[in-house]
Amino acid sequence: MNALAARADVTRLSAELAKHTDKTESEYTTSTWSAFATARTTAQGYVNDNSVATQVEVDQAKADLEAAAAALVLRADTTDLSAAYEAAKTAYGTESTSSTYTQQSWSDYLEAMATAKGIIDDNSNTAQAQADAAEVAIETAIDGFVQKAAQADVDALLAEVAKIRADENKYTADSLSLIHI
């Protein structure tokens, strides 16, 4: 009769499972949901049939479920990011080049827009902080736009430099050294 073993007590595990019945996959990032779903399935298996489970296994399943639930990360709400993206796209477009802004400032803008679009199209593994950062990146890129100089202004400046160079003898060597064209 000493070979008989008591079934594992699943009361605490069952209570832990009950805390998480309202959680749905669509609310959480895929990477954190995967671990949670595995832990929940294991726990549910022990609750459904504890005929061969040891107490150590049941206790570990509870600990694993608690840890996985604590690690869940809500998926980003991309409503504000989508609004910022659409407003920027309407105001500035997403063409590969700009006749108005410098290449670097336009490139920064396009990079921010591409990141935002990727998150908007698939937020399955995006936390809210990432979506918020993408929105800020769009705003920062727009604030960082540097306008190209008008060609007429460039031509006028070059003409003035040419005029000064033509009359070099009127100016000191130190003052001429300031013109680097």
Side-chain angles (χ1 to χ4, degrees):
M1 287 287 159
N2 292 345
L4 293 177
R7 287 184 182 226
D9 182 359
V10 294
T11 306
R12 291 190 317 260
L13 180 58
S14 184
E16 186 64 30
L17 268 170
K19 293 178 188 178
H20 306 293
T21 57
D22 62 334
K23 290 179 172 51
T24 59
E25 183 175 2
S26 63
E27 296 175 327
Y28 299 96
T29 61
T30 54
S31 60
T32 62
W33 181 262
S34 177
F36 172 77
T38 298
R40 186 167 70 173
T41 299
T42 300
Q44 190 64 56
Y46 287 132
V47 168
N48 291 345
D49 180 11
N50 67 341
S51 63
V52 294
T54 66
Q55 192 62 51
V56 170
E57 292 170 325
V58 169
D59 292 346
Q60 186 61 54
K62 180 181 177 286
D64 291 348
L65 181 60
E66 289 170 331
L72 282 171
V73 175
L74 288 170
R75 276 189 194 187
D77 175 354
T78 60
T79 305
D80 291 343
L81 178 59
S82 293
Y85 176 86
E86 290 302 325
K89 184 177 174 184
T90 299
Y92 303 102
T94 55
E95 293 76 29
S96 61
T97 60
S98 171
S99 60
T100 306
Y101 304 106
T102 63
Q103 182 178 354
Q104 184 59 55
S105 65
W106 189 252
S107 177
D108 293 345
Y109 166 76
L110 289 178
E111 182 179 329
M113 291 293 280
T115 298
K117 183 72 169 130
I119 291 171
I120 293 165
D121 289 348
D122 180 12
N123 74 334
S124 65
N125 216 20
T126 304
Q128 191 62 49
Q130 293 167 296
D132 293 345
E135 183 180 351
V136 168
I138 291 172
E139 295 164 2
T140 301
I142 290 170
D143 291 344
F145 277 152
V146 176
Q147 288 195 340
K148 290 180 179 177
Q151 190 59 47
D153 292 340
V154 172
D155 291 343
L157 181 59
L158 289 174
E160 186 66 28
V161 169
K163 184 176 162 188
I164 291 170
R165 292 265 187 223
D167 293 331
E168 284 184 354
N169 294 338
K170 293 181 179 180
Y171 305 101
T172 66
D174 286 345
S175 63
L176 283 174
S177 70
L178 299 174
I179 301 172
H180 301 288
I181 296 179

